[in-house]
mmCIF file of all heavy atoms in Angstrom:
data_model
loop_
_atom_site.group_PDB
_atom_site.id
_atom_site.type_symbol
_atom_site.label_atom_id
_atom_site.label_comp_id
_atom_site.label_asym_id
_atom_site.label_seq_id
_atom_site.Cartn_x
_atom_site.Cartn_y
_atom_site.Cartn_z
ATOM 1 N N LEU E 13 -21.275 -31.827 9.095
ATOM 2 C CA LEU E 13 -21.294 -31.361 7.714
ATOM 3 C C LEU E 13 -20.316 -30.199 7.578
ATOM 4 O O LEU E 13 -20.594 -29.083 8.002
ATOM 5 C CB LEU E 13 -22.700 -30.907 7.319
ATOM 6 C CG LEU E 13 -23.779 -31.985 7.339
ATOM 7 C CD1 LEU E 13 -25.099 -31.398 6.891
ATOM 8 C CD2 LEU E 13 -23.398 -33.138 6.430
ATOM 9 N N GLN E 21 -27.785 -32.737 -6.333
ATOM 10 C CA GLN E 21 -28.388 -33.825 -5.590
ATOM 11 C C GLN E 21 -29.622 -34.358 -6.311
ATOM 12 O O GLN E 21 -30.455 -33.592 -6.798
ATOM 13 C CB GLN E 21 -28.800 -33.330 -4.193
ATOM 14 C CG GLN E 21 -27.634 -32.945 -3.320
ATOM 15 C CD GLN E 21 -26.787 -34.140 -2.953
ATOM 16 O OE1 GLN E 21 -27.254 -35.069 -2.317
ATOM 17 N NE2 GLN E 21 -25.542 -34.115 -3.375
ATOM 18 N N ALA E 77 -31.331 -24.865 -3.718
ATOM 19 C CA ALA E 77 -31.460 -24.647 -2.275
ATOM 20 C C ALA E 77 -30.396 -25.426 -1.519
ATOM 21 O O ALA E 77 -29.764 -24.900 -0.583
ATOM 22 C CB ALA E 77 -32.852 -25.078 -1.818
ATOM 23 N N LEU E 98 -31.248 -26.483 5.783
ATOM 24 C CA LEU E 98 -30.564 -27.523 5.011
ATOM 25 C C LEU E 98 -31.200 -28.886 5.290
ATOM 26 O O LEU E 98 -31.389 -29.698 4.373
ATOM 27 C CB LEU E 98 -29.074 -27.541 5.353
ATOM 28 C CG LEU E 98 -28.229 -28.608 4.646
ATOM 29 C CD1 LEU E 98 -28.327 -28.468 3.130
ATOM 30 C CD2 LEU E 98 -26.766 -28.516 5.095
ATOM 31 N N THR E 116 -29.533 -32.680 13.588
ATOM 32 C CA THR E 116 -28.757 -32.848 14.817
ATOM 33 C C THR E 116 -27.944 -31.595 15.116
ATOM 34 O O THR E 116 -27.891 -31.116 16.263
ATOM 35 C CB THR E 116 -27.820 -34.072 14.698
ATOM 36 O OG1 THR E 116 -28.609 -35.245 14.506
ATOM 37 C CG2 THR E 116 -26.983 -34.241 15.952
ATOM 38 N N SER E 155 -35.722 -54.861 0.739
ATOM 39 C CA SER E 155 -36.337 -53.539 0.635
ATOM 40 C C SER E 155 -36.836 -53.066 2.003
ATOM 41 O O SER E 155 -36.676 -51.888 2.361
ATOM 42 C CB SER E 155 -37.498 -53.577 -0.366
ATOM 43 O OG SER E 155 -37.030 -53.875 -1.668
ATOM 44 N N GLN E 237 -32.527 -59.956 34.136
ATOM 45 C CA GLN E 237 -33.247 -58.682 34.121
ATOM 46 C C GLN E 237 -34.712 -58.893 33.752
ATOM 47 O O GLN E 237 -35.606 -58.288 34.346
ATOM 48 C CB GLN E 237 -32.575 -57.724 33.127
ATOM 49 C CG GLN E 237 -31.183 -57.270 33.553
ATOM 50 C CD GLN E 237 -30.458 -56.505 32.465
ATOM 51 O OE1 GLN E 237 -30.880 -56.481 31.302
ATOM 52 N NE2 GLN E 237 -29.349 -55.866 32.830
ATOM 53 N N TYR E 238 -34.923 -59.756 32.781
ATOM 54 C CA TYR E 238 -36.304 -60.033 32.359
ATOM 55 C C TYR E 238 -37.093 -60.705 33.482
ATOM 56 O O TYR E 238 -38.256 -60.366 33.744
ATOM 57 C CB TYR E 238 -36.293 -60.933 31.124
ATOM 58 C CG TYR E 238 -37.668 -61.370 30.681
ATOM 59 C CD1 TYR E 238 -38.490 -60.519 29.941
ATOM 60 C CD2 TYR E 238 -38.149 -62.636 31.005
ATOM 61 C CE1 TYR E 238 -39.757 -60.915 29.543
ATOM 62 C CE2 TYR E 238 -39.418 -63.039 30.609
ATOM 63 C CZ TYR E 238 -40.214 -62.174 29.885
ATOM 64 O OH TYR E 238 -41.469 -62.570 29.503
ATOM 65 N N ALA E 248 -38.427 -68.543 30.302
ATOM 66 C CA ALA E 248 -37.231 -67.738 30.569
ATOM 67 C C ALA E 248 -36.333 -68.433 31.593
ATOM 68 O O ALA E 248 -35.099 -68.398 31.475
ATOM 69 C CB ALA E 248 -37.633 -66.354 31.071
ATOM 70 N N SER E 255 -28.256 -71.330 29.946
ATOM 71 C CA SER E 255 -27.150 -70.381 29.789
ATOM 72 C C SER E 255 -26.196 -70.451 30.979
ATOM 73 O O SER E 255 -24.980 -70.325 30.820
ATOM 74 C CB SER E 255 -27.696 -68.959 29.619
ATOM 75 O OG SER E 255 -28.263 -68.794 28.337
ATOM 76 N N ARG E 257 -25.434 -73.101 32.664
ATOM 77 C CA ARG E 257 -24.574 -74.268 32.464
ATOM 78 C C ARG E 257 -23.541 -74.003 31.379
ATOM 79 O O ARG E 257 -22.361 -74.341 31.523
ATOM 80 C CB ARG E 257 -25.413 -75.491 32.114
ATOM 81 C CG ARG E 257 -26.229 -76.018 33.270
ATOM 82 C CD ARG E 257 -26.883 -77.354 32.976
ATOM 83 N NE ARG E 257 -27.687 -77.765 34.118
ATOM 84 C CZ ARG E 257 -27.195 -78.314 35.220
ATOM 85 N NH1 ARG E 257 -25.896 -78.548 35.293
ATOM 86 N NH2 ARG E 257 -27.975 -78.649 36.216
ATOM 87 N N ALA E 259 -22.315 -71.263 30.471
ATOM 88 C CA ALA E 259 -21.341 -70.254 30.911
ATOM 89 C C ALA E 259 -20.473 -70.761 32.056
ATOM 90 O O ALA E 259 -19.631 -70.021 32.579
ATOM 91 C CB ALA E 259 -22.076 -68.984 31.340
ATOM 92 N N ALA E 277 -43.104 -80.180 39.514
ATOM 93 C CA ALA E 277 -43.448 -81.514 39.995
ATOM 94 C C ALA E 277 -44.662 -81.485 40.914
ATOM 95 O O ALA E 277 -45.346 -82.495 41.089
ATOM 96 C CB ALA E 277 -42.257 -82.140 40.707
ATOM 97 N N VAL E 341 -25.032 -106.094 39.042
ATOM 98 C CA VAL E 341 -24.945 -107.517 38.700
ATOM 99 C C VAL E 341 -23.625 -108.123 39.171
ATOM 100 O O VAL E 341 -23.552 -109.305 39.542
ATOM 101 C CB VAL E 341 -25.125 -107.704 37.175
ATOM 102 C CG1 VAL E 341 -24.708 -109.116 36.743
ATOM 103 C CG2 VAL E 341 -26.572 -107.449 36.782
ATOM 104 N N ALA E 343 -22.231 -107.737 41.863
ATOM 105 C CA ALA E 343 -22.338 -108.164 43.262
ATOM 106 C C ALA E 343 -23.505 -109.120 43.473
ATOM 107 O O ALA E 343 -23.526 -109.879 44.442
ATOM 108 C CB ALA E 343 -22.505 -106.939 44.165
ATOM 109 N N SER E 345 -25.787 -111.606 41.021
ATOM 110 C CA SER E 345 -26.118 -112.128 39.698
ATOM 111 C C SER E 345 -27.615 -112.259 39.485
ATOM 112 O O SER E 345 -28.084 -112.354 38.343
ATOM 113 C CB SER E 345 -25.445 -113.492 39.487
ATOM 114 O OG SER E 345 -25.879 -114.408 40.499
ATOM 115 N N GLN E 377 -24.124 -95.107 19.364
ATOM 116 C CA GLN E 377 -23.379 -95.717 20.468
ATOM 117 C C GLN E 377 -24.329 -96.329 21.498
ATOM 118 O O GLN E 377 -24.093 -97.432 21.993
ATOM 119 C CB GLN E 377 -22.486 -94.669 21.124
ATOM 120 C CG GLN E 377 -21.257 -94.308 20.304
ATOM 121 C CD GLN E 377 -20.483 -93.145 20.879
ATOM 122 O OE1 GLN E 377 -20.977 -92.420 21.745
ATOM 123 N NE2 GLN E 377 -19.264 -92.947 20.409
ATOM 124 N N PHE E 406 -23.707 -85.630 13.926
ATOM 125 C CA PHE E 406 -24.715 -84.570 13.900
ATOM 126 C C PHE E 406 -25.091 -84.243 15.339
ATOM 127 O O PHE E 406 -25.779 -85.011 16.004
ATOM 128 C CB PHE E 406 -25.934 -85.086 13.124
ATOM 129 C CG PHE E 406 -26.863 -84.025 12.614
ATOM 130 C CD1 PHE E 406 -26.652 -83.444 11.385
ATOM 131 C CD2 PHE E 406 -27.958 -83.623 13.360
ATOM 132 C CE1 PHE E 406 -27.522 -82.485 10.884
ATOM 133 C CE2 PHE E 406 -28.829 -82.665 12.882
ATOM 134 C CZ PHE E 406 -28.617 -82.089 11.636
ATOM 135 N N ALA E 418 -39.469 -72.229 11.419
ATOM 136 C CA ALA E 418 -38.710 -73.030 12.386
ATOM 137 C C ALA E 418 -37.256 -73.022 11.945
ATOM 138 O O ALA E 418 -36.942 -72.804 10.768
ATOM 139 C CB ALA E 418 -39.239 -74.452 12.458
ATOM 140 N N PHE E 448 -39.591 -81.222 7.918
ATOM 141 C CA PHE E 448 -40.236 -80.539 9.034
ATOM 142 C C PHE E 448 -41.661 -81.059 9.166
ATOM 143 O O PHE E 448 -42.395 -81.152 8.169
ATOM 144 C CB PHE E 448 -40.232 -79.024 8.821
ATOM 145 C CG PHE E 448 -38.874 -78.401 8.940
ATOM 146 C CD1 PHE E 448 -38.162 -78.011 7.820
ATOM 147 C CD2 PHE E 448 -38.297 -78.215 10.193
ATOM 148 C CE1 PHE E 448 -36.908 -77.429 7.936
ATOM 149 C CE2 PHE E 448 -37.036 -77.640 10.327
ATOM 150 C CZ PHE E 448 -36.340 -77.251 9.200
ATOM 151 N N PRO E 464 -20.195 -79.928 3.164
ATOM 152 C CA PRO E 464 -18.888 -80.213 2.560
ATOM 153 C C PRO E 464 -18.113 -81.219 3.401
ATOM 154 O O PRO E 464 -18.548 -81.609 4.489
ATOM 155 C CB PRO E 464 -18.206 -78.848 2.568
ATOM 156 C CG PRO E 464 -18.823 -78.139 3.739
ATOM 157 C CD PRO E 464 -20.257 -78.589 3.772
ATOM 158 N N GLU E 470 -12.747 -81.127 13.357
ATOM 159 C CA GLU E 470 -13.242 -79.793 13.059
ATOM 160 C C GLU E 470 -14.770 -79.757 13.154
ATOM 161 O O GLU E 470 -15.435 -80.787 13.083
ATOM 162 C CB GLU E 470 -12.789 -79.336 11.673
ATOM 163 C CG GLU E 470 -11.286 -79.105 11.577
ATOM 164 C CD GLU E 470 -10.882 -78.465 10.252
ATOM 165 O OE1 GLU E 470 -11.766 -78.265 9.382
ATOM 166 O OE2 GLU E 470 -9.687 -78.171 10.080
#
Side-chain angles (χ1 to χ4, degrees):
L13 297 182
Q21 294 293 299
L98 178 58
T116 299
S155 296
Q237 292 171 348
Y238 175 80
S255 287
R257 289 189 182 281
V341 166
S345 59
Q377 285 172 346
F406 199 88
F448 290 104
E470 292 188 356

